[in-house]
Amino acid sequence: MRLVPHSLGGRLALLLVLAVVGAQAAAFAMFAHESSRVGRAAARTQVVDRIATLVRLLDTVQPDTVPSVVAAYGSPRHRFTIDAGSLVPEGAMGVDETRLARRIDRRMKADVSQARIALVERDAGEDTPRGRLSDRPQALRVSVLLDDGRWLNAEAPLALRTPPWIRIALIQVLASVVAVLVVVAIANRGIVGPVAELATAAEMAGRGAAFEPLPERGPRELRTMTAAFNVMQVRLEAFVADRTRMLAAISHDLRTPIASLWLRAEMVEDGELRSAMVRTISDMGRMVDATLAFARDDALAQESGPLDLAEMVRALVDDHVVLGRDVTVASPADLQFHGRPVALRRALDNLVENAVRYGDRARITLERGDDSIRILVDDDGPGIPADRIEEMFAPFARLEGSRNAETGGTGLGLAIARSAIRAHGGDVALANRGGGGLRADVSLPA
């Protein structure tokens, strides 16, 4: 599980929430520390004052009423008992405790040291006589020597109950986080939303898909960027349309003289010369058609839509099997994809043609991953030298040295295949298999 979100809005919300919570936590920690320090000092002072008052009170009452006075003077937080011994051992006082003990002495009888104070850290499981020791983790113990030789022992916890301001601080943090999330939601609508739309449109433009101009909304810089993107798309579409019309005209004009040359070659009386001329003109016609198809890239003119890759590949395999070629496929029952069927079929057909021509057979495998679709085309041919694999994707690059279309093709099949696949946001790579043969690995975004 990823703790950091992928989206811009999610990361913005996370950073702002962490900043708010961190600032509130730091302020809360400082306030809690000061409040605890002041509360402990006030608690010590309160215990000291209550002890001094109780001792003066005991001096004014009858001896038989002392137990009832001590019991009535106590509280759930302050416990008082009269015992034969001191609750605080002699010599257990530190500097602060000695100062508080002198304060009690001054409140009772000047210059007479008869009070002892100790601050103790208690364990929850410490065994303590009931009614004398507190179950709090930290407590202040006070023992004062009375005139009759007995000791007035008191103990009060210094750990205060959770004050209401802690709940107020938690509510404040929660309110701050809610306010931040509201701000992020507004930012998502006005900033992150248009940015996400622009990113999606850019991806669609990279695949050659048609879409309506994006609405210009959000901050000024974002509106300017969106307007520039819309203008760029219009210019690109106009450029592609002009180039397509121009190449279509060139294609028509070239086919006419080629057809004329063909007719004239058929009139040559020398049979050997006529066959050579017809073969050359035929190769020239195929090369012109392939060149124009590559340059025109007419796949861009086709609308993108949903299709079943598995069904398309099975139909492609059936067409090759009808021609007597050894082509097989292993694929799931269906494999949905969004793209241009003609362009993808032509790209895969080129890969299968190469596998059959140079590797005797083609074995096609379709796999779907979490974020990609893989189409593998394996053959049993001699493969390609590793240093020339990337070169084979260049236009007119051929491993076979002759210019014969029957043996070496036109050198445009892989270039056309890569162009069509990259137009769908994917890529194609060639690799020699360990057991012999060549593998064409096509990856498409799922």
Side-chain angles (χ1 to χ4, degrees):
M1 181 181 65
R2 291 182 60 89
L3 297 180
V4 179
H6 292 282
S7 65
L8 176 60
R11 294 192 177 189
L12 177 62
L14 178 62
L15 291 177
L16 290 177
V17 168
L18 289 179
V20 169
V21 172
Q24 295 281 2
F28 174 77
M30 291 187 291
F31 181 71
H33 174 73
E34 288 299 316
S35 176
S36 176
R37 187 177 64 83
V38 172
R40 289 176 183 276
R44 290 196 298 267
T45 301
Q46 183 183 23
V47 172
V48 168
D49 291 343
R50 287 177 66 89
I51 286 288
T53 301
L54 179 59
V55 171
R56 290 197 304 270
L57 180 62
L58 293 178
D59 290 338
T60 63
V61 300
Q62 297 297 325
D64 57 343
T65 62
V66 168
S68 60
V69 171
V70 171
Y73 200 74
S75 69
R77 289 181 52 81
H78 301 85
R79 299 183 182 182
F80 301 94
T81 59
I82 295 180
D83 305 293
S86 172
L87 183 62
V88 179
E90 186 177 1
M93 293 190 297
V95 177
D96 292 338
E97 288 81 359
T98 302
R99 178 176 55 81
L100 290 174
R102 289 175 180 173
R103 179 174 177 177
I104 296 178
D105 292 339
R106 288 193 299 269
R107 297 279 305 266
M108 295 184 301
K109 298 177 181 179
D111 298 329
V112 178
S113 178
Q114 54 185 352
R116 299 176 184 176
I117 298 178
L119 182 65
V120 296
E121 297 285 345
R122 299 189 46 73
D123 296 330
E126 183 177 346
D127 186 16
T128 305
R130 182 179 300 275
R132 172 171 294 187
L133 298 179
S134 170
D135 56 357
R136 300 287 184 175
Q138 192 176 52
L140 184 68
R141 294 177 178 175
V142 182
S143 297
V144 178
L145 180 64
L146 301 177
D147 292 339
D148 59 2
R150 293 184 299 174
W151 290 86
L152 174 63
N153 293 318
E155 181 175 342
L158 295 183
L160 303 179
R161 294 180 180 178
T162 302
W165 51 261
I166 293 183
R167 293 191 296 272
I168 296 175
L170 295 177
I171 294 174
Q172 180 181 356
V173 171
L174 180 60
S176 301
V177 170
V178 171
V180 166
L181 294 179
V182 170
V183 171
V184 171
I186 297 174
N188 273 334
R189 183 176 180 85
I191 300 176
V192 180
V195 170
E197 291 178 0
L198 186 60
T200 302
E203 182 184 8
M204 293 176 62
R207 297 186 182 187
F211 54 89
E212 295 294 327
L214 297 177
E216 299 174 14
R217 58 191 182 95
R220 180 181 60 187
E221 294 80 3
L222 185 56
R223 292 198 304 269
T224 302
M225 183 168 58
T226 304
F229 180 82
N230 289 335
V231 172
M232 180 190 69
Q233 278 302 107
V234 172
R235 291 175 178 173
L236 285 176
E237 290 175 1
F239 171 75
V240 172
D242 291 342
R243 189 184 69 167
T244 302
R245 285 193 296 268
M246 179 188 67
L247 291 174
I250 293 175
S251 176
H252 179 271
D253 293 342
L254 283 176
R255 285 191 175 94
T256 300
I258 289 176
S260 178
L261 285 175
W262 193 306
L263 291 175
R264 294 181 182 182
E266 291 290 346
M267 298 179 184
V268 175
E269 296 182 357
D270 188 336
E272 184 177 351
L273 178 59
R274 182 174 63 252
S275 298
M277 292 178 64
V278 169
R279 185 168 56 251
T280 301
I281 294 172
S282 178
D283 291 345
M284 184 173 62
R286 282 195 296 267
M287 292 180 65
V288 168
D289 289 340
T291 302
L292 291 175
F294 174 71
R296 184 171 61 248
D297 196 13
D298 56 359
L300 292 179
Q302 184 189 12
E303 291 294 333
S304 180
L307 59 96
D308 188 345
L309 275 178
E311 182 180 353
M312 175 197 296
V313 173
R314 285 193 291 267
L316 175 65
V317 170
D318 291 340
D319 292 345
H320 282 276
V321 171
V322 169
L323 298 177
R325 297 171 177 174
D326 186 1
V327 181
T328 60
V329 60
S331 71
D334 62 275
L335 195 55
Q336 298 301 317
F337 186 70
H338 193 92
R340 293 176 293 279
V342 175
L344 282 175
R345 181 184 172 94
R346 183 174 62 185
L348 297 177
D349 188 57
N350 287 348
L351 297 177
V352 174
E353 284 277 1
N354 285 348
V356 172
R357 173 177 292 179
Y358 304 110
D360 298 330
R361 60 184 56 87
R363 293 185 295 276
I364 308 173
T365 305
L366 275 70
E367 302 174 350
R368 182 180 185 109
D370 293 335
D371 55 358
S372 66
I373 295 175
R374 295 183 66 193
I375 305 176
L376 309 177
V377 182
D378 297 335
D379 64 41
D380 294 338
I384 299 176
D387 58 343
R388 297 197 62 187
I389 286 180
E390 189 61 28
E391 176 189 341
M392 292 298 99
F393 288 103
F396 303 109
R398 302 195 305 176
L399 194 62
E400 198 266 341
S402 72
R403 302 306 301 175
N404 190 339
E406 297 297 330
T407 59
T410 61
L412 287 171
L414 289 177
I416 292 174
R418 172 175 276 188
S419 176
I421 292 170
R422 284 183 172 177
H424 284 81
D427 205 351
V428 58
L430 299 178
N432 292 309
R433 296 191 294 118
L438 187 71
R439 164 171 288 181
D441 190 342
V442 178
S443 61
L444 294 168

